[in-house]
Amino acid sequence: MQTLADFRAVYDLPLPDLLFRAAQAHRQFHDPADIQRCVLLSVKTGGCPEDCGYCAQSARFKSGVEATPLMSLDEVRDKATRAKELGATRFCMGTAWREVKNGPQFDQVLDMVRTVRGLDMEACVTLGMLSGDQAERLAEAGLTAYNHNLDTSREHYPNIISTRTYDDRLRTISQVQKAGISVCCGGIIGMGETEDDRLKLLVELANLGTPPESVPINCLVPIAGTPLEDAVPVDSVELVRLIATARIAFPKARVRLSAGRDRMSRELQILAFIAGANSVFFGDKLLTAPNPSNEADASLFRAMGLPEPCVSLT
Ligand code: SAM
Ligand code: DTB
Ligand code: SF4
């Protein structure tokens, strides 16, 4: 599958056939009971110079999110330790940066990566644009994966973000791959794009030299004060079709049911797992936006007959 027509042919299959094909692809490389739980932590929140129209952390919009300094290593260690105790196997850290600048802050992020790896969890960071040198330093620190989303199709991208280009994003992804770090790259749906725009994003991913090992599918979490605050919510069946298509196109990857679960029914989430999603963010906060509570997720996993995450340590 390389072209839009290939993707469209799969995406448009009758739903029972699409789900069956996705389940076959899923079982070829994964145990369908293995749904990874990842915990997200915003280690540097807000005040970002970029103008991504979906984001609570851009300094250009009045979202009410306060800019904070880079978090201390001790605090990161505490949060990561707790995440591990609650059953997370991947710890993802984000900064509201346009790009990484060399200096004490980057050194501190490298220490955060070493700390998470020292706890025997996968470590993923999303820090904005990177140079080849910086990617290599992250690899040396033991980073498992770098998250850098293309977000949408090349055509729709300028309607959402004007302060950087699609090619800037592709350049960083290529630096990450050259440094031997696994790539986590996906997008957001529900930003006024067409179904073809969503499929074109998958086509871009399929045409990267090496396809991403991790494909996050975020549903827009509408943030008051941003240009996308009133965006129309994603249709449930369209979400399921997209996940199934991503699973078939990237059978080895983790396809992640990422942001937006707090507005999804239990049944929709279960359908997404049947369609091949095999990861969620766990814990009641994403970077700045809400996520289902640990209790709600425990009940979801119980309903599926899968091992339940811990709810609390007390
Ligand atoms: N500043 C860095 C960058 O943009 O590359 C890293 C942090 S940024 C918040 C990470 C990703 O979160 C974005 O690329 C976007 O895909 C996702 N994201 C941000 N706000 C979102 C929202 N309101 N709903 C869904 N996903 C969102
Ligand atoms: C990704 O694809 N989704 C995560 C992670 N990568 C960094 C971020 C979701 C952010 C949701 C909005 C917020 O919390 O502000
Ligand atoms: Fe900044 Fe990243 Fe938010 Fe864009 S998505 S405004 S780059 S924090």
mmCIF file of all heavy atoms in Angstrom, residues 44 46-59 61 95-99 126 128 151 161 163-164 169 287, ligand 3:
data_model
loop_
_atom_site.group_PDB
_atom_site.id
_atom_site.type_symbol
_atom_site.label_atom_id
_atom_site.label_comp_id
_atom_site.label_asym_id
_atom_site.label_seq_id
_atom_site.Cartn_x
_atom_site.Cartn_y
_atom_site.Cartn_z
ATOM 1 N N LYS A 44 7.754 20.776 30.154
ATOM 2 C CA LYS A 44 7.893 22.229 29.962
ATOM 3 C C LYS A 44 6.629 22.679 29.245
ATOM 4 O O LYS A 44 6.448 22.391 28.061
ATOM 5 C CB LYS A 44 9.139 22.534 29.116
ATOM 6 C CG LYS A 44 9.625 23.956 29.204
ATOM 7 C CD LYS A 44 8.885 24.895 28.292
ATOM 8 C CE LYS A 44 8.985 26.341 28.663
ATOM 9 N NZ LYS A 44 7.660 26.955 28.839
ATOM 10 N N GLY A 46 3.574 25.281 27.953
ATOM 11 C CA GLY A 46 3.100 26.615 27.566
ATOM 12 C C GLY A 46 4.165 27.582 27.079
ATOM 13 O O GLY A 46 5.356 27.282 27.054
ATOM 14 N N GLY A 47 3.686 28.730 26.611
ATOM 15 C CA GLY A 47 4.589 29.800 26.165
ATOM 16 C C GLY A 47 5.277 29.492 24.851
ATOM 17 O O GLY A 47 6.308 30.093 24.528
ATOM 18 N N CYS A 48 4.716 28.576 24.040
ATOM 19 C CA CYS A 48 5.384 28.144 22.805
ATOM 20 C C CYS A 48 5.206 29.185 21.698
ATOM 21 O O CYS A 48 4.113 29.710 21.492
ATOM 22 C CB CYS A 48 4.813 26.797 22.369
ATOM 23 S SG CYS A 48 5.630 26.140 20.910
ATOM 24 N N PRO A 49 6.286 29.478 20.951
ATOM 25 C CA PRO A 49 6.189 30.492 19.895
ATOM 26 C C PRO A 49 5.424 30.035 18.646
ATOM 27 O O PRO A 49 5.086 30.866 17.802
ATOM 28 C CB PRO A 49 7.658 30.755 19.538
ATOM 29 C CG PRO A 49 8.384 29.502 19.901
ATOM 30 C CD PRO A 49 7.658 28.945 21.097
ATOM 31 N N GLU A 50 5.167 28.739 18.500
ATOM 32 C CA GLU A 50 4.510 28.217 17.298
ATOM 33 C C GLU A 50 3.007 28.527 17.315
ATOM 34 O O GLU A 50 2.438 28.840 18.376
ATOM 35 C CB GLU A 50 4.718 26.706 17.213
ATOM 36 C CG GLU A 50 6.169 26.294 17.173
ATOM 37 C CD GLU A 50 6.767 26.370 15.776
ATOM 38 O OE1 GLU A 50 7.121 27.493 15.358
ATOM 39 O OE2 GLU A 50 6.885 25.324 15.127
ATOM 40 N N ASP A 51 2.366 28.397 16.149
ATOM 41 C CA ASP A 51 0.940 28.757 16.092
ATOM 42 C C ASP A 51 0.025 27.576 15.731
ATOM 43 O O ASP A 51 -1.007 27.768 15.093
ATOM 44 C CB ASP A 51 0.726 29.935 15.120
ATOM 45 C CG ASP A 51 0.940 29.544 13.654
ATOM 46 O OD1 ASP A 51 1.405 28.414 13.384
ATOM 47 O OD2 ASP A 51 0.621 30.368 12.779
ATOM 48 N N CYS A 52 0.386 26.376 16.140
ATOM 49 C CA CYS A 52 -0.434 25.185 15.849
ATOM 50 C C CYS A 52 -1.857 25.418 16.353
ATOM 51 O O CYS A 52 -2.061 25.602 17.564
ATOM 52 C CB CYS A 52 0.174 23.963 16.518
ATOM 53 S SG CYS A 52 1.969 23.862 16.255
ATOM 54 N N GLY A 53 -2.807 25.411 15.421
ATOM 55 C CA GLY A 53 -4.163 25.878 15.722
ATOM 56 C C GLY A 53 -4.933 25.023 16.702
ATOM 57 O O GLY A 53 -6.009 25.415 17.157
ATOM 58 N N TYR A 54 -4.392 23.857 17.051
ATOM 59 C CA TYR A 54 -5.073 22.951 17.986
ATOM 60 C C TYR A 54 -4.551 23.074 19.402
ATOM 61 O O TYR A 54 -5.082 22.480 20.324
ATOM 62 C CB TYR A 54 -4.885 21.488 17.518
ATOM 63 C CG TYR A 54 -3.450 21.152 17.124
ATOM 64 C CD1 TYR A 54 -2.458 20.975 18.091
ATOM 65 C CD2 TYR A 54 -3.068 21.030 15.788
ATOM 66 C CE1 TYR A 54 -1.149 20.686 17.736
ATOM 67 C CE2 TYR A 54 -1.755 20.737 15.428
ATOM 68 C CZ TYR A 54 -0.807 20.565 16.414
ATOM 69 O OH TYR A 54 0.488 20.283 16.067
ATOM 70 N N CYS A 55 -3.457 23.827 19.605
ATOM 71 C CA CYS A 55 -2.647 23.605 20.806
ATOM 72 C C CYS A 55 -2.896 24.598 21.931
ATOM 73 O O CYS A 55 -2.861 25.823 21.733
ATOM 74 C CB CYS A 55 -1.170 23.607 20.450
ATOM 75 S SG CYS A 55 -0.139 23.059 21.832
ATOM 76 N N ALA A 56 -3.066 24.052 23.126
ATOM 77 C CA ALA A 56 -3.273 24.846 24.333
ATOM 78 C C ALA A 56 -2.008 25.584 24.740
ATOM 79 O O ALA A 56 -2.055 26.518 25.551
ATOM 80 C CB ALA A 56 -3.692 23.913 25.474
ATOM 81 N N GLN A 57 -0.860 25.171 24.181
ATOM 82 C CA GLN A 57 0.416 25.667 24.700
ATOM 83 C C GLN A 57 1.047 26.774 23.859
ATOM 84 O O GLN A 57 2.125 27.272 24.186
ATOM 85 C CB GLN A 57 1.391 24.508 24.821
ATOM 86 C CG GLN A 57 0.830 23.393 25.705
ATOM 87 C CD GLN A 57 1.923 22.444 26.105
ATOM 88 O OE1 GLN A 57 2.837 22.820 26.838
ATOM 89 N NE2 GLN A 57 1.850 21.232 25.611
ATOM 90 N N SER A 58 0.386 27.143 22.762
ATOM 91 C CA SER A 58 0.901 28.235 21.945
ATOM 92 C C SER A 58 0.694 29.548 22.689
ATOM 93 O O SER A 58 -0.403 29.819 23.204
ATOM 94 C CB SER A 58 0.147 28.266 20.615
ATOM 95 O OG SER A 58 0.404 29.498 19.978
ATOM 96 N N ALA A 59 1.749 30.381 22.706
ATOM 97 C CA ALA A 59 1.637 31.673 23.399
ATOM 98 C C ALA A 59 0.702 32.613 22.654
ATOM 99 O O ALA A 59 0.319 33.664 23.172
ATOM 100 C CB ALA A 59 3.030 32.294 23.519
ATOM 101 N N PHE A 61 -2.420 32.037 21.671
ATOM 102 C CA PHE A 61 -3.849 31.896 21.967
ATOM 103 C C PHE A 61 -4.085 32.045 23.467
ATOM 104 O O PHE A 61 -3.217 31.706 24.265
ATOM 105 C CB PHE A 61 -4.377 30.526 21.501
ATOM 106 C CG PHE A 61 -3.912 30.118 20.128
ATOM 107 C CD1 PHE A 61 -3.384 28.851 19.901
ATOM 108 C CD2 PHE A 61 -3.990 31.004 19.053
ATOM 109 C CE1 PHE A 61 -2.943 28.467 18.631
ATOM 110 C CE2 PHE A 61 -3.552 30.626 17.784
ATOM 111 C CZ PHE A 61 -3.029 29.359 17.577
ATOM 112 N N THR A 95 7.785 18.896 25.536
ATOM 113 C CA THR A 95 8.130 20.292 25.845
ATOM 114 C C THR A 95 7.448 21.205 24.827
ATOM 115 O O THR A 95 7.378 20.876 23.638
ATOM 116 C CB THR A 95 9.658 20.534 25.752
ATOM 117 O OG1 THR A 95 10.100 20.192 24.440
ATOM 118 C CG2 THR A 95 10.423 19.736 26.781
ATOM 119 N N ALA A 96 7.011 22.352 25.293
ATOM 120 C CA ALA A 96 6.369 23.332 24.399
ATOM 121 C C ALA A 96 7.449 24.165 23.731
ATOM 122 O O ALA A 96 7.552 25.372 23.943
ATOM 123 C CB ALA A 96 5.413 24.205 25.206
ATOM 124 N N TRP A 97 8.277 23.507 22.957
ATOM 125 C CA TRP A 97 9.379 24.144 22.245
ATOM 126 C C TRP A 97 9.144 24.042 20.747
ATOM 127 O O TRP A 97 8.604 23.039 20.255
ATOM 128 C CB TRP A 97 10.717 23.438 22.536
ATOM 129 C CG TRP A 97 11.259 23.613 23.915
ATOM 130 C CD1 TRP A 97 10.931 24.570 24.820
ATOM 131 C CD2 TRP A 97 12.245 22.777 24.549
ATOM 132 N NE1 TRP A 97 11.656 24.396 25.980
ATOM 133 C CE2 TRP A 97 12.470 23.313 25.841
ATOM 134 C CE3 TRP A 97 12.973 21.650 24.162
ATOM 135 C CZ2 TRP A 97 13.371 22.742 26.743
ATOM 136 C CZ3 TRP A 97 13.871 21.083 25.047
ATOM 137 C CH2 TRP A 97 14.079 21.631 26.331
ATOM 138 N N ARG A 98 9.612 25.062 20.022
ATOM 139 C CA ARG A 98 9.635 24.963 18.562
ATOM 140 C C ARG A 98 10.733 23.999 18.122
ATOM 141 O O ARG A 98 10.581 23.231 17.203
ATOM 142 C CB ARG A 98 9.888 26.360 17.968
ATOM 143 C CG ARG A 98 10.226 26.367 16.490
ATOM 144 C CD ARG A 98 10.410 27.787 15.983
ATOM 145 N NE ARG A 98 11.086 27.811 14.699
ATOM 146 C CZ ARG A 98 10.482 27.580 13.531
ATOM 147 N NH1 ARG A 98 9.212 27.266 13.492
ATOM 148 N NH2 ARG A 98 11.162 27.628 12.409
ATOM 149 N N GLU A 99 11.870 24.104 18.854
ATOM 150 C CA GLU A 99 13.034 23.300 18.490
ATOM 151 C C GLU A 99 13.911 23.139 19.716
ATOM 152 O O GLU A 99 13.769 23.877 20.689
ATOM 153 C CB GLU A 99 13.834 23.995 17.385
ATOM 154 C CG GLU A 99 14.503 25.260 17.878
ATOM 155 C CD GLU A 99 14.583 26.342 16.808
ATOM 156 O OE1 GLU A 99 14.879 25.985 15.675
ATOM 157 O OE2 GLU A 99 14.332 27.515 17.138
ATOM 158 N N THR A 126 9.135 14.376 22.986
ATOM 159 C CA THR A 126 8.699 15.198 21.862
ATOM 160 C C THR A 126 9.099 16.628 22.188
ATOM 161 O O THR A 126 8.585 17.245 23.125
ATOM 162 C CB THR A 126 7.192 14.995 21.568
ATOM 163 O OG1 THR A 126 6.818 15.839 20.494
ATOM 164 C CG2 THR A 126 6.290 15.268 22.771
ATOM 165 N N GLY A 128 10.050 19.080 19.601
ATOM 166 C CA GLY A 128 10.090 19.961 18.432
ATOM 167 C C GLY A 128 11.205 19.570 17.480
ATOM 168 O O GLY A 128 11.650 18.421 17.495
ATOM 169 N N ASP A 151 0.817 15.292 11.741
ATOM 170 C CA ASP A 151 -0.498 15.840 12.110
ATOM 171 C C ASP A 151 -1.606 15.640 11.072
ATOM 172 O O ASP A 151 -2.709 15.241 11.419
ATOM 173 C CB ASP A 151 -0.415 17.334 12.473
ATOM 174 C CG ASP A 151 0.114 17.544 13.886
ATOM 175 O OD1 ASP A 151 0.071 16.590 14.685
ATOM 176 O OD2 ASP A 151 0.587 18.654 14.197
ATOM 177 N N ILE A 161 -1.147 25.263 10.713
ATOM 178 C CA ILE A 161 0.125 25.752 11.263
ATOM 179 C C ILE A 161 0.824 26.603 10.200
ATOM 180 O O ILE A 161 0.936 26.159 9.056
ATOM 181 C CB ILE A 161 1.061 24.558 11.605
ATOM 182 C CG1 ILE A 161 0.390 23.638 12.639
ATOM 183 C CG2 ILE A 161 2.432 25.036 12.114
ATOM 184 C CD1 ILE A 161 0.934 22.240 12.687
ATOM 185 N N THR A 163 3.869 28.460 11.163
ATOM 186 C CA THR A 163 5.219 28.822 11.606
ATOM 187 C C THR A 163 6.284 27.774 11.260
ATOM 188 O O THR A 163 7.450 27.943 11.618
ATOM 189 C CB THR A 163 5.217 29.092 13.120
ATOM 190 O OG1 THR A 163 4.536 28.003 13.770
ATOM 191 C CG2 THR A 163 4.506 30.386 13.455
ATOM 192 N N ARG A 164 5.890 26.679 10.636
ATOM 193 C CA ARG A 164 6.878 25.702 10.139
ATOM 194 C C ARG A 164 6.216 24.899 9.031
ATOM 195 O O ARG A 164 4.991 24.962 8.876
ATOM 196 C CB ARG A 164 7.371 24.772 11.267
ATOM 197 C CG ARG A 164 6.234 24.074 11.959
ATOM 198 C CD ARG A 164 6.658 22.910 12.833
ATOM 199 N NE ARG A 164 5.444 22.215 13.211
ATOM 200 C CZ ARG A 164 4.891 22.270 14.427
ATOM 201 N NH1 ARG A 164 5.443 22.937 15.399
ATOM 202 N NH2 ARG A 164 3.778 21.614 14.649
ATOM 203 N N ARG A 169 9.160 19.169 9.270
ATOM 204 C CA ARG A 169 8.815 17.988 10.087
ATOM 205 C C ARG A 169 9.528 16.755 9.527
ATOM 206 O O ARG A 169 10.118 15.980 10.273
ATOM 207 C CB ARG A 169 7.301 17.724 10.082
ATOM 208 C CG ARG A 169 6.424 18.768 10.719
ATOM 209 C CD ARG A 169 6.739 19.069 12.142
ATOM 210 N NE ARG A 169 6.020 18.351 13.157
ATOM 211 C CZ ARG A 169 6.144 18.629 14.473
ATOM 212 N NH1 ARG A 169 6.939 19.608 14.894
ATOM 213 N NH2 ARG A 169 5.478 17.935 15.379
ATOM 214 N N LEU A 287 -1.077 16.133 28.131
ATOM 215 C CA LEU A 287 -0.077 17.163 28.449
ATOM 216 C C LEU A 287 -0.749 18.253 29.278
ATOM 217 O O LEU A 287 -0.335 18.557 30.395
ATOM 218 C CB LEU A 287 0.519 17.733 27.156
ATOM 219 C CG LEU A 287 1.390 16.752 26.354
ATOM 220 C CD1 LEU A 287 1.774 17.347 25.006
ATOM 221 C CD2 LEU A 287 2.656 16.350 27.110
HETATM 222 FE FE1 SF4 B 3 4.214 24.463 20.377
HETATM 223 FE FE2 SF4 B 3 4.138 21.811 19.955
HETATM 224 FE FE3 SF4 B 3 1.919 23.163 20.774
HETATM 225 FE FE4 SF4 B 3 2.839 23.505 18.313
HETATM 226 S S1 SF4 B 3 2.056 21.577 19.178
HETATM 227 S S2 SF4 B 3 2.175 25.155 19.732
HETATM 228 S S3 SF4 B 3 5.026 23.359 18.606
HETATM 229 S S4 SF4 B 3 3.791 22.869 21.919
#
